[in-house]
Amino acid sequence: MNYKTQMEAAKKEIITKEMKVVAEKESIDIEKLRELMACGKVVIPANINHTSLSPEGIGEGLRTKINVNLGVSGDCIDYENEFDKVKLSLEFGAEAIMDLSNFGKTNTFRKQLIDMSPAMIGTVPMYDAIGYLEKDLLEITAKDFLKVVEAHAAQGVDFMTIHAGINKRAVEAFKKTKRITNIVSRGGSLLFAWMEMTGNENPFYEYYDEVLDILYKYDVTISLGDALRPGSINDSTDAGQISELVELGALTKRAWEKNVQVLVEGPGHMAINEIAANMVLQKRLCHGAPFYVLGPLVTDIAPGYDHITSAIGGAIAASNGADFLCYVTPAEHLRLPNLSDVKEGIIASKIAAHAADIAKGIPGARDIDNKMSDARRRIDWEEMFSYAIDSKKAREYFESTPPAEKHSCSMCGKMCAMRTTNKILNGEKVEFCSDK
């Protein structure tokens, strides 16, 4: 094998087994896929040590993928519950799972997750640094941070969020902006604190080439984190966000030069009228690299319903060029999500991704909608349930108030429009009172 990463193989015109799987899943010409990968517009995050992986492609011309965040915190240390979330995520077809555990020794959980998951696995090494190194923030050295990156890569993590763009230049732009919500990225805030306390440059920026060497060794895709993403609609598209995005564009090219695959992360909170322009701006400044968005949440006043505010923003973002959606649950801003929250977040994100794929004209995206519509016309309930994103919930709703007339539902009964039209087109009479 004369390549280390999927990008290197693509540049050398080598077709990998992962490319073959993705081309079949996406019904895309494999040579076109290879070309998109060679120029960085598509990635296949596939760590050489993640042997249970079912590869997925992220980027231009492919289906919009979704990511599920999970992991323990200091207030909720229940690994069994987190594995239940993993199983649920896989059941509903999430293509990626990020382990954001930030308490204790997380390597055992992460290893088990990588061993059993066909979905891509992502992490944020910055979250794990304090627990892994057993040092307080001020005691951690720049080289220490790289040790955590190496540990995650060696375990088999497919993509890592690395907040390399929040360098001293970006921090100065942030400070001048006078935001309402300042820095809302957990990893970004920790790096900002470390930089301010030590007076040093961001270690992931200062030693970026060494970070890339580690990622290249294991074929880990770098997900360039947006430490200065807006945490409120007031702060969106400000100098802090854009200055960091400019840095991420330069870092993208440097990663490609070392044959490391790149995702670029994006906002955040953002009013609807700014989303499309932000997608165009990101693609332009970051040279067409796949865009990974958290939301964006289109209003700040819906705690408990932020899976909905996120799905609205996510659908608009993806239909305008975003390639990868990070789910948001109803628990966002409130608590660690439980199993029910995770399900609601996944469903909302899947709806957003699918709606965007229809809008983008992804080949075959409409097929299942057309099948559902045909089953509705024929009033075939079992077939309708089989096409539903959440077939169990659809069935439970239908059966909770069963109709007297089986070829209808309890909403319209015999006055069902489908039933009426079908009877007339079949040459039958429409009668409502004959059974009285």
Side-chain angles (χ1 to χ4, degrees):
M1 184 174 71
N2 60 345
Y3 65 89
K4 279 276 192 181
T5 70
Q6 296 292 323
M7 185 176 208
E8 186 174 23
K11 288 179 179 178
K12 292 182 175 181
E13 301 187 359
I14 298 169
I15 301 296
T16 67
K17 64 181 187 298
E18 290 81 8
M19 292 179 199
K20 291 177 182 177
V21 171
V22 170
E24 185 173 347
K25 284 183 177 182
E26 301 283 346
S27 299
I28 185 174
D29 178 75
I30 197 162
E31 183 57 25
K32 181 180 178 182
L33 175 67
R34 185 199 63 74
E35 290 174 357
L36 289 168
M37 293 179 66
C39 67
K41 292 182 178 180
V42 167
V43 299
I44 301 179
N47 188 309
I48 59 173
N49 291 334
H50 187 179
T51 56
S52 63
L53 178 69
S54 178
E56 295 284 356
I58 303 170
E60 186 177 304
L62 307 185
R63 290 179 299 106
T64 306
K65 308 305 187 298
I66 75 160
N67 171 71
V68 171
N69 290 340
L70 45 79
V72 299
S73 71
D75 292 314
C76 298
I77 311 166
D78 186 343
Y79 287 107
E80 187 175 335
N81 188 46
E82 295 311 299
F83 271 116
D84 287 339
K85 295 176 186 177
V86 171
K87 293 170 186 174
L88 185 70
S89 303
L90 298 176
E91 177 187 343
F92 280 97
E95 291 89 3
I97 296 171
M98 288 197 81
D99 172 22
L100 304 187
S101 297
N102 61 7
F103 182 85
K105 295 295 184 182
T106 61
N107 57 314
T108 301
F109 171 69
R110 190 162 46 251
K111 184 179 186 308
Q112 292 174 336
L113 177 60
I114 292 165
D115 286 346
M116 59 87 70
S117 175
M120 298 175 280
I121 302 301
T123 59
V124 187
M126 187 67 206
Y127 292 179
D128 195 31
I130 293 171
Y132 179 85
L133 297 166
E134 295 184 332
K135 293 181 179 180
D136 213 338
L137 190 60
L138 192 55
E139 298 171 354
I140 299 175
T141 68
K143 296 293 185 179
D144 284 337
F145 288 120
L146 271 61
K147 291 178 186 176
V148 184
V149 172
E150 177 97 43
H152 283 215
Q155 275 197 308
V157 169
D158 301 297
F159 65 102
M160 287 186 206
T161 294
I162 305 287
H163 299 92
I166 182 172
N167 57 20
K168 288 186 175 183
R169 286 190 298 270
V171 166
E172 284 308 308
F174 153 68
K175 286 180 176 179
K176 292 175 183 176
T177 304
K178 305 297 183 185
R179 289 178 160 188
I180 288 179
T181 47
N182 291 319
I183 297 176
V184 298
S185 160
R186 187 195 308 169
S189 68
L190 291 170
L191 275 170
F192 171 71
W194 186 89
M195 291 166 68
E196 292 293 298
M197 289 191 296
T198 64
N200 295 331
E201 179 59 277
N202 177 349
F204 295 117
Y205 179 79
E206 185 175 3
Y207 297 98
Y208 189 61
D209 285 333
E210 292 181 41
V211 172
L212 294 177
D213 289 341
I214 295 169
L215 303 184
Y216 173 79
K217 179 179 176 182
Y218 299 95
D219 195 3
V220 177
T221 299
I222 188 169
S223 190
L224 288 167
D226 52 338
L228 295 177
R229 70 174 180 266
S232 62
I233 59 172
N234 178 80
D235 297 343
S236 62
T237 324
D238 68 359
Q241 178 196 332
I242 302 305
S243 65
E244 183 182 33
L245 191 58
V246 171
E247 300 292 345
L248 297 185
L251 294 172
T252 295
K253 278 195 166 183
R254 285 175 61 184
W256 287 345
E257 288 167 3
K258 286 182 170 274
N259 292 314
V260 173
Q261 300 184 97
V262 179
L263 293 165
V264 178
E265 299 186 14
H269 294 232
M270 183 166 287
I272 284 175
N273 60 305
E274 294 182 36
I275 295 173
N278 265 262
M279 301 305 107
V280 174
L281 188 63
Q282 184 279 332
K283 290 283 185 172
R284 181 68 178 268
L285 291 177
C286 297
H287 321 291
F291 201 21
Y292 174 26
V293 294
L294 177 65
L297 281 66
V298 296
T299 179
D300 299 326
I301 61 167
Y305 297 91
D306 277 328
H307 59 309
I308 297 174
T309 65
S310 170
I312 294 168
I316 296 168
S319 63
N320 284 281
D323 308 285
F324 193 20
L325 302 181
C326 186
Y327 91 150
V328 172
T329 77
E332 186 77 8
H333 303 110
L334 301 171
R335 68 174 189 201
L336 192 76
N338 63 23
L339 203 59
S340 174
D341 297 326
V342 169
K343 179 181 175 181
E344 291 295 316
I346 293 171
I347 297 297
S349 192
K350 292 287 282 188
I351 292 169
H354 182 64
D357 288 348
I358 292 171
K360 287 191 286 192
I362 298 297
R366 286 177 178 262
D367 291 355
I368 194 167
D369 295 79
N370 292 339
K371 290 177 181 178
M372 174 68 89
S373 298
D374 185 61
R376 282 180 172 151
R377 176 183 59 80
R378 293 181 281 105
I379 318 178
D380 186 327
W381 292 106
E382 289 302 318
E383 193 172 337
M384 283 186 256
F385 298 147
S386 73
Y387 299 136
I389 287 179
D390 185 352
S391 58
K392 182 181 178 184
K393 183 173 184 177
R395 183 185 295 278
E396 286 175 350
Y397 267 57
F398 175 73
E399 293 178 350
S400 65
T401 311
E405 164 63 51
K406 70 174 183 177
H407 292 298
S408 67
C409 74
S410 57
M411 176 73 175
C412 298
K414 285 189 175 184
M415 289 189 182
C416 170
M418 297 293 191
R419 178 180 183 273
T420 297
T421 306
N422 288 344
K423 280 183 171 293
I424 293 298
L425 291 176
N426 289 334
E428 302 173 33
K429 289 183 179 180
V430 176
E431 297 176 319
F432 300 111
C433 303
S434 59
D435 293 337
K436 287 186 179 180

